[in-house]
Amino acid sequence: MPVTQTVPAAARMFLSGNDAVARAVWEAGTRVAAAYPGTPSTEILEILSRYSGLHTEWSINEKVSMEVALGASMVGARAFCAMKHVGLNVASDALMTMTVTGTEGGLVIAVADDVGMSSSQNEQDSRYWGRFAHVPVLEPSDSQEAYAMTLAAFDLSERLKSPVILRLTTRICHVKGVVHTGERIEVEPKGFVKDPRHWVMVPGNAKPRLPTMFEREAAARAQAEVTPLNFQVDGSDRRIGFVTSGPTFMHVREAFPDAPVFKLGLSCPPPLESLRRFAATVDTVLVVEETEPLLETEMKAAGIACHGKDVLPRIGELAPDVLEPAVRRLRGEVVPEPEHVPAQQVFPRPPTMCVACPHLGVYYTLSQMRNVIISGDIGCYTLGAGHPWNALDTCISMGASMGTALGMDKGRGKADENKKIVAVIGDSTFMHMGMQGLLDITWNRGNVTVLLLDNRAVGMTGGQDNPGTGRDIHGEETTRVDFAKLCEALGVKKERIHVLDPYELPVLFKALREETKIEEPSVIITNRPCVLIDHYQPAKSYTVEEDRCTGCGNCVEVGCPAIHVTRRDKVVKASGKEVDLSFVRIETSACTGCGLCVQPCAPEAIVHADPVQSVQSVQFVRK
Amino acid sequence: MSKITNILVCGVGGQGVMTATEILAEAAISLGFDVKKTEVAGMSQRGGVVTSHLRFGDVVLSPQIAPGEADLLIGFESAEALRWSHMLRPDGVALVNSGRIVPPVVNLGLFDYPEDPVAQMRALGLTVHAFDASSLAIQLGNIRLGNTVMLGACADRLPFPAEVLRDAVLARFGTRKPQLVEANRGAFEAGRRAVGGEALAA
């Protein structure tokens, strides 16, 4: 579905940090913008793709997105790439050389850290990359600043001929605030200048460039001391002076409105002399930074006495409710008990797979298999680690299911001799980083059965397109990958590649059992689309005939959120064995008729609901 | 600095918590307030817990509401309202949908759904207005009207006229389908009446 939307004129707009960055990237005259979707950064490219006048794309991974941006910069165009924190690990190989070559057209890298880990496998502080790669880091503290700093980042990049990192966090990306915007300026690319000493990084060319990189860093350091992006807010209560960056500025201002605050916008390299002068004006300095004690360490190394992670948590967000008690303790005050009601213990509500999700059948089948070790990956299907399936044994990083499965196969001892090793990966993850791992499996003769769950979407982040969908970021038709042929090209024998319907449980089970018996690499590709994307067609919904339900609970094990237990019971069998019974109903309004639950239902109690029944059923369940 | 109004909206992924908060924000913006809104998205989209923070006033700094600072707690699901009770000011008001969304972990018998979440909230000394907004929405023709019903329920407890919020709701749906405008107008009024509000003049 091609997206066309009128771009609003300059105005006072209510924008998320991601919206604001996208708006500024467009206004800056950027010609190329690339990303791989990743929470909390995803929306930046989605929004940018609606603007005209620039090339936008989903790249297959973050490293490629950075390379695309660099290529555009080489021809003198303004360029942009966006990623989440773990994405920069993937892109770091490109970054670490890009910092040596430097850039031509302004190049801005937005990196979104998931402080508080709402949907990531780790919490990492991307500000380190600024130090590691010797590139400036800008840290906005709300949407208006995200907008202004994105524009400033392009200018800084062009002035220094360096990539610039725009460090965002979840509380920037997904916070909406009022932003005053402007209009796009067109920036004509200067054209590519052939100069191997600049762009061909063989040792002989790269070595002379290293001093340039450090000169540039010195220039950035001087810039940090004078830029208006770094400023001081005076305060009457000089007992504690706060040093802040990113969203912590707002939290500190909220919690301590009378305190002096040093606000870092261009936080790397840090303006140590300005910070030293600030420190001299207050009794005690407290550095408030998410998440690592980075500035704190740098300030201490420069001989500026300060507090930081000795009183503040090292993990998670530093919101006012976290700051206030910590600062009171630092001042030697007694922290009173909160006046509000205490937090209540309620059952956990972890995310679940969707009703009729094509992964349900896969995990149900895996959960029925004995003696398997299941190597998992990053995506919706990571949820297979949860109840009721408990069918994932590992999950490390994008594409890691392949390599870890091979490693487990090659490293196993007697204890795991008879176990089958299965790797599970999604279509987009496979193209992001999985293909190389599969090639390693075939090349090194690994005994691994790969389940390639092709739901034709980057499901977890909202169903974005990828080369498996045959559509680009604008929804327009393009090359579509044939996964069976791709796996064959990567060395899997043709007869070991199966394309199956994940709703056909017996077929899936049989294929898995057979392929895990054969001691060579095999791939089972499942071929049903994500239920949340536009071309999914729901079928007639099901209901449970209550008098036929025997309470066996097999359908509950499928894990569909539309199946609800109405009554539990225990019976003692003739053998003396106690059996738990769970009688169920189906939330007919939610059921999309995929038929997965029908297959394990022994008494055939699950039948199609007729329309009249479905309305009664809804009213019944809601009372 | 003048008083800031803090509204916490909570519920389950897919219920329209974020959309409802967005509409509340639009109403506040239309009156010229400084507004900030935040939520935790990502994995919460798939049947997980969703909370959305809305703050408005002359100048809003932090986007987050601290525990015990919410003036209004809008609970789209009763157990979720109980989970986030500690966010409410002791003298604040909770508007709660007494309808339940039972998660798979409860169906599997691993955890229990609280006996009566609303009663538990009241036992904590909180002021709670509860009604079955889900059933009401289904009676009105579509479960998805539930978030408009909840917005109607909070319309008389905002520091601005109920009409402003109603108009923001209708503006949201009005651009696409006219029949949605009428359905949402009805849902908004039904929500208001359910917690004792008077009907608005059309």
Side-chain angles (χ1 to χ4, degrees):
Chain A
M1 170 188 63
V3 188
T4 45
Q5 187 172 303
T6 355
V7 176
R12 178 175 176 268
M13 299 162 82
F14 189 51
L15 302 180
S16 71
N18 284 343
D19 287 322
V21 170
R23 174 79 194 190
V25 168
W26 177 74
E27 284 185 20
T30 301
R31 290 177 72 94
V32 172
Y36 181 81
T39 310
S41 68
T42 312
E43 296 84 359
I44 302 176
L45 252 288
E46 284 185 330
I47 296 155
L48 263 172
S49 72
R50 295 171 198 159
Y51 287 100
S52 56
L54 78 170
H55 166 80
T56 49
E57 68 166 52
W58 290 129
S59 303
I60 59 156
N61 65 35
E62 297 82 359
K63 179 171 177 284
V64 172
S65 79
M66 195 175 278
E67 291 156 353
V68 168
L70 177 60
S73 170
M74 283 172 171
V75 298
R78 285 192 161 186
F80 174 80
C81 60
M83 58 204 66
K84 68 182 293 184
H85 60 301
V86 288
L88 187 46
N89 303 341
V90 175
S92 61
D93 211 4
L95 176 68
M96 298 309 282
T97 301
M98 188 157 97
T99 184
V100 183
T101 60
T103 51
E104 267 308 312
L107 196 160
V108 177
I109 305 159
V111 187
D113 283 1
D114 190 2
V115 176
M117 283 173 72
S118 66
S119 58
S120 306
Q121 61 272 37
N122 65 39
E123 186 180 61
Q124 69 187 41
D125 191 332
S126 295
R127 296 178 305 157
Y128 273 117
W129 287 109
R131 276 78 174 173
F132 195 6
H134 307 283
V135 300
V137 176
L138 298 183
E139 291 186 72
S141 58
D142 67 2
S143 296
Q144 178 68 56
E145 281 196 359
Y147 167 80
M149 283 193 190
T150 304
L151 290 171
F154 280 102
D155 290 337
L156 188 64
S157 171
E158 281 170 6
R159 207 162 348 131
L160 297 173
K161 295 207 176 293
S162 164
V164 172
I165 292 176
L166 184 72
R167 192 251 189 162
L168 311 169
T169 67
T170 307
R171 289 292 176 202
I172 300 297
C173 297
H174 290 166
V175 172
K176 277 194 164 186
V178 179
V179 181
H180 297 269
T181 59
E183 290 297 347
R184 177 169 163 100
I185 46 151
E186 293 299 337
V187 183
E188 187 54 34
K190 286 160 279 191
F192 184 67
V193 180
K194 279 182 188 277
D195 180 5
R197 286 167 307 157
H198 187 177
W199 298 119
V200 183
M201 288 301 95
V202 292
N205 291 339
K207 275 182 200 167
R209 287 209 64 85
L210 291 180
T212 315
M213 183 177 79
F214 289 109
E215 279 162 26
R216 192 184 71 204
E217 193 174 34
R221 197 175 296 279
Q223 184 63 222
E225 299 287 356
V226 296
T227 174
L229 296 173
N230 294 335
F231 63 87
Q232 198 173 317
V233 179
D234 293 325
S236 54
D237 181 358
R238 304 204 150 264
R239 286 178 295 170
I240 294 180
F242 294 88
V243 172
T244 68
S245 69
T248 65
F249 173 68
M250 297 297 174
H251 299 328
V252 165
R253 295 280 292 142
E254 174 94 27
F256 308 100
D258 301 324
V261 183
F262 195 97
K263 154 90 163 77
L264 288 154
L266 171 52
S267 68
C268 170
L272 290 169
E273 294 317 310
S274 305
L275 287 166
R276 195 186 307 280
R277 284 195 296 277
F278 172 74
T281 65
V282 296
D283 299 345
T284 304
V285 174
L286 178 61
V287 184
V288 184
E289 54 187 330
E290 291 171 344
T291 49
E292 296 284 323
L294 206 48
L295 281 167
E296 181 190 339
T297 311
E298 286 166 331
M299 285 172 68
K300 282 178 177 162
I304 308 167
C306 60
H307 288 274
K309 297 300 180 184
D310 53 335
V311 293
L312 293 170
R314 181 82 178 254
I315 298 165
E317 294 179 273
L318 300 177
D321 60 309
V322 177
L323 285 174
E324 226 160 357
V327 170
R328 278 170 183 245
R329 278 187 210 104
L330 179 62
R331 285 174 177 160
E333 295 169 24
V334 179
V335 179
E337 284 295 306
E339 284 166 18
H340 56 84
V341 303
Q344 303 299 302
Q345 287 303 313
V346 180
F347 59 84
R349 196 189 284 274
T352 60
M353 282 191 239
C354 302
V355 171
C357 173
H359 302 335
L360 291 173
V362 172
Y363 283 107
Y364 174 72
T365 307
L366 285 170
S367 71
Q368 304 298 308
M369 293 185 72
R370 297 289 163 261
N371 278 325
V372 286
I373 301 176
I374 304 161
S375 169
D377 223 299
I378 310 288
C380 291
Y381 52 93
T382 314
L383 300 172
H387 299 295
W389 320 279
N390 302 308
L392 272 195
D393 298 310
T394 66
C395 171
I396 307 297
S397 61
M398 293 288 277
S401 58
M402 301 285 126
T404 45
L406 178 62
M408 286 194 280
D409 177 39
K410 297 296 180 188
R412 60 169 134 192
K414 281 206 165 51
D416 299 315
E417 220 168 42
N418 299 320
K419 299 206 174 118
K420 316 291 185 193
I421 295 183
V422 174
V424 185
I425 192 164
D427 48 343
S428 186
T429 313
F430 183 69
M431 289 178 284
H432 177 282
M433 276 287 163
M435 294 189 286
Q436 295 88 340
L438 179 58
L439 183 58
D440 209 38
I441 289 172
T442 58
W443 185 49
N444 288 300
R445 303 177 194 90
N447 180 14
V448 176
T449 303
V450 174
L451 268 163
L452 203 173
L453 311 185
D454 177 15
N455 65 355
R456 275 170 259 165
V458 190
M460 189 97 237
T461 45
Q464 289 79 10
D465 284 297
N466 65 46
T469 68
R471 286 186 308 270
D472 66 11
I473 196 169
H474 303 287
E476 281 161 18
E477 278 193 35
T478 178
T479 307
R480 180 170 172 182
V481 165
D482 181 327
F483 285 105
K485 279 188 186 160
L486 178 57
C487 292
E488 199 184 337
L490 290 169
V492 185
K493 284 184 193 162
K494 201 170 181 175
E495 61 271 26
R496 297 271 73 78
I497 300 169
H498 307 271
V499 181
L500 298 180
D501 181 344
Y503 295 110
E504 296 286 346
L505 298 182
V507 180
L508 187 61
F509 191 78
K510 188 164 166 266
L512 257 170
R513 209 170 40 191
E514 281 170 9
E515 289 306 332
T516 50
K517 266 186 212 155
I518 293 168
E519 298 199 343
E520 58 181 303
S522 50
V523 180
I524 297 169
I525 302 166
T526 62
N527 66 351
R528 289 291 201 120
C530 169
V531 296
L532 295 182
I533 59 179
D534 48 7
H535 30 126
Y536 176 76
Q537 293 294 327
K540 199 174 169 189
S541 54
Y542 285 95
T543 190
V544 178
E545 286 195 342
E546 281 179 56
D547 46 345
R548 290 173 84 170
C549 177
T550 56
C552 71
N554 287 350
C555 58
V556 181
E557 299 296 318
V558 173
C560 177
I563 299 175
H564 291 259
V565 174
T566 50
R567 182 166 62 88
R568 289 180 208 289
D569 209 348
K570 269 188 202 301
V571 288
V572 182
K573 282 194 162 178
S575 60
K577 195 182 163 200
E578 205 173 67
V579 180
D580 289 314
L581 297 179
S582 303
F583 296 89
V584 301
R585 65 172 173 79
I586 290 172
E587 177 105 24
T588 308
S589 60
C591 174
T592 60
C594 74
L596 272 175
C597 58
V598 179
Q599 299 175 59
C601 178
E604 298 181 351
I606 300 175
V607 296
H608 274 299
D610 65 57
V612 182
Q613 234 179 342
S614 102
V615 172
Q616 284 170 341
S617 159
V618 168
Q619 286 174 346
F620 166 74
V621 303
R622 288 285 169 186
K623 291 287 172 199
Chain B
M1 198 183 302
S2 74
K3 165 93 179 73
I4 288 180
T5 302
N6 293 324
I7 301 176
L8 188 90
V9 190
C10 64
V12 177
Q15 279 194 297
V17 166
M18 292 196 199
T19 309
T21 317
E22 184 84 14
I23 293 169
L24 276 164
E26 279 162 11
I29 286 174
S30 73
L31 293 167
F33 287 110
D34 186 21
V35 182
K36 276 187 180 157
K37 167 185 162 286
T38 185
E39 55 266 319
V40 173
M43 296 183 95
S44 53
Q45 289 163 355
R46 278 154 237 283
V49 177
V50 182
T51 59
S52 198
H53 298 221
L54 178 69
R55 310 188 73 213
F56 57 90
D58 286 347
V59 178
V60 181
L61 296 168
S62 170
Q64 281 145 287
I65 301 170
E69 295 290 327
D71 301 285
L72 203 57
L73 173 71
I74 307 175
F76 275 41
E77 200 277 344
S78 52
E80 291 310 311
L82 177 62
R83 189 193 306 280
W84 298 102
S85 291
H86 63 287
M87 297 298 288
L88 195 59
R89 290 160 63 100
D91 58 347
V93 172
L95 293 155
V96 179
N97 175 7
S98 59
R100 298 175 170 210
I101 298 177
V102 180
V105 290
V106 170
N107 278 311
L108 289 162
L110 299 166
F111 293 93
D112 291 323
Y113 194 96
E115 191 78 10
D116 186 345
V118 171
Q120 282 191 47
M121 288 176 75
R122 288 187 177 132
L124 291 164
L126 300 173
T127 306
V128 185
H129 296 282
F131 67 104
D132 192 340
S134 303
S135 292
L136 195 52
I138 290 166
Q139 280 164 28
L140 292 166
N142 193 338
I143 181 83
R144 294 174 71 179
L145 290 168
N147 51 4
T148 301
V149 170
M150 290 306 291
L151 286 175
C154 76
D156 291 307
R157 286 167 180 83
L158 299 169
F160 51 76
E163 285 85 351
V164 178
L165 181 60
R166 182 198 58 189
D167 293 345
V169 171
L170 301 186
R172 182 78 169 199
F173 298 100
T175 49
R176 278 178 289 168
K177 286 182 184 168
Q179 69 268 33
L180 284 181
V181 175
E182 283 320 302
N184 279 282
R185 188 195 301 277
F188 189 85
E189 290 299 334
R192 286 184 84 222
R193 281 195 303 276
V195 293
E198 297 288 316
L200 285 170

